[in-house]
Amino acid sequence: MSAALVLVAGIVLVALIKFWRTLYRSPLRHLRGPRAPSVLSGHFNQLAATHQALIREWVNEYGPNFKIRGFFNAPSLFTTDTKAIHHVLTHSTDYCKPLDARRLLARLSGPAGVLVTEGEQHRNQRRVMNPAFGPVQIRGLMGVFHEKSLALRDYWMSQVSEDGSIRTNVGDGISKMTLDVIGVAGFNYDFETLRTDKPTNEVNKAFQALFQSPLPRGTFALLARFFPILMTLFPTERTKAAAQALAVMRRFGMQLIEEKKQQIMSEKTSHSVEKKDVQGRDILSLLIKSNLASDVPENQRLTDEDVLAQVPTFLAAGHETTATATGWLLCELSKHPEFQQKLREELLSVDTDTPTMEALNELPYLDKVVRETLRLHAPVLMVNREAQRDDVIPVSEPFVDAQCTLQREIAVKRGDMVFIGIAALQTAEGVWGEDALEFKPDRWDDPPEAITNTPGVWGHLLTFLGGTRACIGYRFSLVELKALIFALIRAFEFELTAPAEDIQAIGRFLQRAGLRGQEVPALPLLIRPYRRV
Ligand code: HEM
């Protein structure tokens, strides 16, 4: 039998098994929910940034818990119910990342990245890594955040033309800045992507190729998630770019790790390294030193492969996410010049270009603008989890299922999928009121009572998720974002170059600001140096 025939037979067999399980076993089939447009791909194509309005309609019609359809119409739970979400996020061994999602992430970071690992390996990695992201460590990175924010300011300033303005895709400059920040803060390595006199860095080039190649869509994209061999047999532009980026990052990571190990050992006078010897502020130094330290129990150490995998992980997880949030923030301030000016006045009242972390965090309007951006434009749209055993998920309110039976909880079978609608929850009218879709920083003066139930790690929002797999870098990202906005809004005025209604969210996992019809999002804004009158 030819390989192709075996492949097709395998696909059909797995599909049949899934189909059987779907129709006859999962209790989720009794939930109410929208009809799927395709038997094969279910709602797969609707679970994207461009379909947020449709998802909100589903929440309005069916309530916070309803059924959507996955591959071969497998019923899955879509939830914006804070009690159900809390249950799923706090039982992370019972609800793991699905294999197909882990495979996709592994294409970016390799299989040992903390975004991908589960169970004991994940717990060990977090134990070693968490201290590197604590408030004290982030305070120590303020110099990097300011230096790179001011570098972006100067980079744009140098491009101002004779008419006193520049028109640019702001995402490009911001993305360079966040890459430079994660380079220095993460690895003490300066990519210097904002220096025009240097050729484009290899890692930056690989990222640009990755984020500028369109995502595979349609049935092929769906099949490839479940049968990754298809990606190998028929590589798309995106797959090739991801493989190239991973190879570049691994090479870069191995070189860095080797250099750091040698540096640490050469600084030592005695034969062993102890935790107290840890001096470096960057994340990678901390990991390597923890790994070498003789006072760390053998079974809690990370393997070399574990350490190496975190280089692409931090580059991938910490770079484009923060850049996406900053892009949305500038977009909203361009739509609302009155908010922009109010913020500028607050920022200009500070008498230094480089305030401390505490001083930045004490600026009330800056804080509200950041919160409102991360509510309305959560960069990560949704996350999904796969039940590892039969379970019962508690819900906030009883509801009626498709058989008109009142339900007080939701039963799931092992293998069932749960989608946590981050963006849908944060724009739900039932929680945020009729103006949920409007950008209103002052709503944070008196936020709705209901949000106190949100099980998020920050700000009663799910933007950085919650539970044991919450974003490790949320403090890092918030301070970086504030430092960047501080530098940019003091220096420039931002204006839209396209009608506001043409701006839309684009993407599947990350929702980035772009213009209607674009496959690869770009946000052109008009920037003018600000002159005080
Ligand atoms: C606005 C910026 C950011 C947003 C919205 C964000 C959001 C998230 C979300 C939603 C997750 C959970 C994903 C899942 O479980 O499926 C996550 C995980 C993670 N984030 Fe972030 N993130 C941001 C910035 C950062 C930064 C700056 C770093 C590193 C410097 C970082 C590192 C990570 C890592 C390593 C994980 C995996 C944690 C684990 O599974 O234990 N993130 N992030």
Side-chain angles (χ1 to χ4, degrees), residues 290-312:
S290 307
N291 224 27
L292 291 173
S294 50
D295 57 348
V296 174
E298 192 64 41
N299 65 353
Q300 283 185 18
R301 290 195 191 161
L302 306 186
T303 64
D304 275 356
E305 188 56 35
D306 276 4
V307 176
L308 176 59
Q310 308 322 319
V311 174

Short mmCIF file of all heavy atoms in Angstrom, two decimals, residues 290-312:
data_model
loop_
_atom_site.label_atom_id
_atom_site.label_comp_id
_atom_site.label_asym_id
_atom_site.label_seq_id
_atom_site.Cartn_x
_atom_site.Cartn_y
_atom_site.Cartn_z
N SER A 290 20.37 29.09 37.76
CA SER A 290 19.59 28.17 38.59
C SER A 290 19.94 26.74 38.22
O SER A 290 20.04 25.86 39.07
CB SER A 290 18.09 28.34 38.36
OG SER A 290 17.73 29.65 38.52
N ASN A 291 20.16 26.54 36.96
CA ASN A 291 20.45 25.21 36.47
C ASN A 291 21.82 24.71 36.93
O ASN A 291 22.00 23.53 37.20
CB ASN A 291 20.41 25.25 34.94
CG ASN A 291 19.67 24.10 34.38
OD1 ASN A 291 18.79 23.56 35.05
ND2 ASN A 291 20.02 23.69 33.17
N LEU A 292 22.76 25.65 36.99
CA LEU A 292 24.11 25.26 37.40
C LEU A 292 24.26 25.22 38.91
O LEU A 292 25.20 24.62 39.44
CB LEU A 292 25.13 26.28 36.85
CG LEU A 292 25.34 26.30 35.35
CD1 LEU A 292 26.23 27.48 34.97
CD2 LEU A 292 25.97 25.00 34.88
N ALA A 293 23.36 25.89 39.61
CA ALA A 293 23.54 26.05 41.05
C ALA A 293 23.52 24.72 41.79
O ALA A 293 22.64 23.89 41.57
CB ALA A 293 22.45 26.97 41.59
N SER A 294 24.52 24.55 42.69
CA SER A 294 24.62 23.26 43.37
C SER A 294 23.63 23.14 44.53
O SER A 294 23.41 22.07 45.06
CB SER A 294 26.04 23.06 43.88
OG SER A 294 26.42 24.22 44.60
N ASP A 295 23.00 24.28 44.95
CA ASP A 295 22.03 24.17 46.04
C ASP A 295 20.59 23.96 45.55
O ASP A 295 19.65 24.06 46.31
CB ASP A 295 22.11 25.41 46.95
CG ASP A 295 21.87 26.72 46.18
OD1 ASP A 295 21.89 26.67 44.94
OD2 ASP A 295 21.69 27.75 46.84
N VAL A 296 20.42 23.67 44.26
CA VAL A 296 19.09 23.34 43.75
C VAL A 296 18.99 21.82 43.61
O VAL A 296 19.88 21.20 43.02
CB VAL A 296 18.86 23.99 42.36
CG1 VAL A 296 17.55 23.55 41.75
CG2 VAL A 296 18.92 25.50 42.48
N PRO A 297 17.93 21.19 44.19
CA PRO A 297 17.84 19.73 44.10
C PRO A 297 17.87 19.27 42.63
O PRO A 297 17.29 19.93 41.76
CB PRO A 297 16.49 19.40 44.73
CG PRO A 297 16.05 20.63 45.44
CD PRO A 297 16.80 21.79 44.90
N GLU A 298 18.53 18.15 42.43
CA GLU A 298 18.71 17.60 41.07
C GLU A 298 17.38 17.52 40.31
O GLU A 298 17.29 17.92 39.16
CB GLU A 298 19.33 16.21 41.21
CG GLU A 298 19.85 15.59 39.92
CD GLU A 298 21.01 16.37 39.31
OE1 GLU A 298 21.90 16.85 40.06
OE2 GLU A 298 20.99 16.53 38.09
N ASN A 299 16.32 17.03 41.03
CA ASN A 299 15.05 16.80 40.32
C ASN A 299 14.30 18.09 40.00
O ASN A 299 13.25 18.06 39.37
CB ASN A 299 14.16 15.83 41.11
CG ASN A 299 13.72 16.42 42.43
OD1 ASN A 299 14.19 17.50 42.83
ND2 ASN A 299 12.84 15.72 43.12
N GLN A 300 14.79 19.24 40.46
CA GLN A 300 14.10 20.49 40.12
C GLN A 300 14.85 21.27 39.04
O GLN A 300 14.45 22.35 38.63
CB GLN A 300 13.96 21.37 41.36
CG GLN A 300 12.85 20.89 42.27
CD GLN A 300 12.63 21.83 43.44
OE1 GLN A 300 13.05 22.97 43.43
NE2 GLN A 300 11.98 21.31 44.46
N ARG A 301 15.95 20.71 38.57
CA ARG A 301 16.71 21.44 37.55
C ARG A 301 16.12 21.26 36.17
O ARG A 301 15.52 20.23 35.88
CB ARG A 301 18.15 20.93 37.52
CG ARG A 301 18.87 21.34 38.75
CD ARG A 301 20.35 21.18 38.58
NE ARG A 301 20.92 21.36 39.90
CZ ARG A 301 22.10 20.96 40.25
NH1 ARG A 301 22.86 20.33 39.36
NH2 ARG A 301 22.55 21.16 41.45
N LEU A 302 16.33 22.25 35.35
CA LEU A 302 15.89 22.14 33.97
C LEU A 302 17.01 21.49 33.15
O LEU A 302 18.18 21.70 33.43
CB LEU A 302 15.60 23.52 33.39
CG LEU A 302 14.61 24.41 34.14
CD1 LEU A 302 14.32 25.68 33.34
CD2 LEU A 302 13.31 23.68 34.41
N THR A 303 16.60 20.74 32.15
CA THR A 303 17.61 20.16 31.26
C THR A 303 18.10 21.27 30.32
O THR A 303 17.47 22.32 30.20
CB THR A 303 17.00 19.05 30.39
OG1 THR A 303 16.00 19.67 29.56
CG2 THR A 303 16.35 17.97 31.23
N ASP A 304 19.23 21.03 29.64
CA ASP A 304 19.72 22.02 28.69
C ASP A 304 18.67 22.31 27.62
O ASP A 304 18.49 23.44 27.18
CB ASP A 304 21.00 21.52 28.01
CG ASP A 304 22.23 21.84 28.87
OD1 ASP A 304 22.05 22.49 29.93
OD2 ASP A 304 23.34 21.42 28.50
N GLU A 305 17.96 21.24 27.22
CA GLU A 305 16.93 21.40 26.18
C GLU A 305 15.80 22.30 26.70
O GLU A 305 15.26 23.13 25.97
CB GLU A 305 16.40 20.00 25.80
CG GLU A 305 15.45 19.95 24.61
CD GLU A 305 16.02 20.56 23.32
OE1 GLU A 305 17.23 20.44 23.08
OE2 GLU A 305 15.23 21.17 22.57
N ASP A 306 15.45 22.12 28.00
CA ASP A 306 14.41 22.96 28.62
C ASP A 306 14.83 24.43 28.57
O ASP A 306 14.03 25.31 28.26
CB ASP A 306 14.21 22.59 30.10
CG ASP A 306 13.26 21.41 30.26
OD1 ASP A 306 12.83 20.86 29.24
OD2 ASP A 306 12.97 21.04 31.42
N VAL A 307 16.10 24.69 28.90
CA VAL A 307 16.58 26.08 28.93
C VAL A 307 16.58 26.64 27.51
O VAL A 307 16.07 27.73 27.25
CB VAL A 307 17.99 26.17 29.54
CG1 VAL A 307 18.51 27.60 29.46
CG2 VAL A 307 17.97 25.70 30.99
N LEU A 308 17.09 25.86 26.58
CA LEU A 308 17.18 26.32 25.19
C LEU A 308 15.80 26.67 24.64
O LEU A 308 15.62 27.68 23.96
CB LEU A 308 17.84 25.23 24.34
CG LEU A 308 17.93 25.52 22.84
CD1 LEU A 308 18.73 26.79 22.58
CD2 LEU A 308 18.57 24.35 22.10
N ALA A 309 14.80 25.83 24.98
CA ALA A 309 13.45 26.04 24.42
C ALA A 309 12.84 27.35 24.90
O ALA A 309 11.91 27.87 24.27
CB ALA A 309 12.55 24.87 24.81
N GLN A 310 13.34 27.91 26.01
CA GLN A 310 12.71 29.14 26.51
C GLN A 310 13.17 30.36 25.70
O GLN A 310 12.52 31.40 25.75
CB GLN A 310 12.99 29.35 28.01
CG GLN A 310 12.67 28.17 28.91
CD GLN A 310 11.43 27.39 28.54
OE1 GLN A 310 10.41 27.98 28.17
NE2 GLN A 310 11.50 26.07 28.61
N VAL A 311 14.25 30.24 24.95
CA VAL A 311 14.71 31.39 24.15
C VAL A 311 13.64 31.74 23.09
O VAL A 311 13.09 32.84 23.10
CB VAL A 311 16.11 31.15 23.54
CG1 VAL A 311 16.49 32.29 22.61
CG2 VAL A 311 17.14 31.01 24.65
N PRO A 312 13.31 30.78 22.19
CA PRO A 312 12.23 31.11 21.25
C PRO A 312 10.89 31.36 21.94
O PRO A 312 10.09 32.16 21.45
CB PRO A 312 12.13 29.88 20.34
CG PRO A 312 13.03 28.87 20.89
CD PRO A 312 13.94 29.49 21.89
#
